[in-house]
Amino acid sequence: QVRLVESGGGSVQAGGSLELSCVAYGVLHEPYCMAWFRDTPGKSREFVANIPSDGDQRPDFSDSVEARFAVSLDKSRNTGYLKMGSLKPEDTGTYTCAVDDDARVCGVTARWYNPWGQGTRVTVSS
């Protein structure tokens, strides 16, 4: 069973940047997708971004973060990254990475993904 561990959350002022990491402990079966979701107050879990382990698909982003966030994958370290820039107070929430193992198409729906990490908190102040 793969275990995911996120890090990199914290507090930042609006306009600032943060980079989150997600380390996958265990064996991932290619092709797979790594995705980031976030839980914000008053909203259901929201898709943020995903990235495929192969080059057949481009990463995908939600409209609310596209052009501000970037996602990458270092397969040699089994680690994914979510680089967040131009942060806004509405980006505040708990960010969680998840993997859809042995997946040929990367989706944006949470139920497609398992396992999940424990989440890391991001707070953006105005």
Side-chain angles (χ1 to χ4, degrees):
Q1 178 70 12
V2 173
R3 185 170 65 95
L4 304 177
V5 179
E6 301 98 335
S7 62
S11 297
V12 65
Q13 288 193 326
S17 301
L18 279 175
E19 184 174 64
L20 308 182
S21 301
C22 174
V23 180
Y25 295 95
V27 177
L28 292 171
H29 301 93
E30 296 236 21
Y32 61 86
C33 300
M34 181 174 282
W36 293 87
F37 291 81
R38 67 185 180 190
D39 295 294
T40 56
K43 292 184 179 180
S44 57
R45 178 162 285 178
E46 177 188 13
F47 167 78
V48 176
N50 66 26
I51 183 167
S53 64
D54 60 22
D56 291 348
Q57 284 183 265
R58 291 184 177 183
D60 194 12
F61 299 89
S62 68
D63 291 342
S64 62
V65 308
E66 194 161 19
R68 299 188 297 122
F69 289 13
V71 63
S72 61
L73 193 62
D74 184 343
K75 292 195 290 183
S76 68
R77 298 185 176 187
N78 259 20
T79 301
Y81 302 92
L82 181 69
K83 190 166 187 178
M84 306 183 294
S86 301
L87 283 162
K88 304 175 181 179
E90 51 264 43
D91 294 317
T92 294
T94 298
Y95 286 71
T96 308
C97 67
V99 166
D100 185 3
D101 205 5
D102 195 19
R104 299 192 177 277
V105 177
C106 289
V108 302
T109 306
R111 68 174 182 270
W112 290 5
Y113 290 87
N114 182 46
W116 292 74
Q118 82 288 352
T120 185
R121 181 75 182 168
V122 172
T123 302
V124 184
S125 58
S126 57

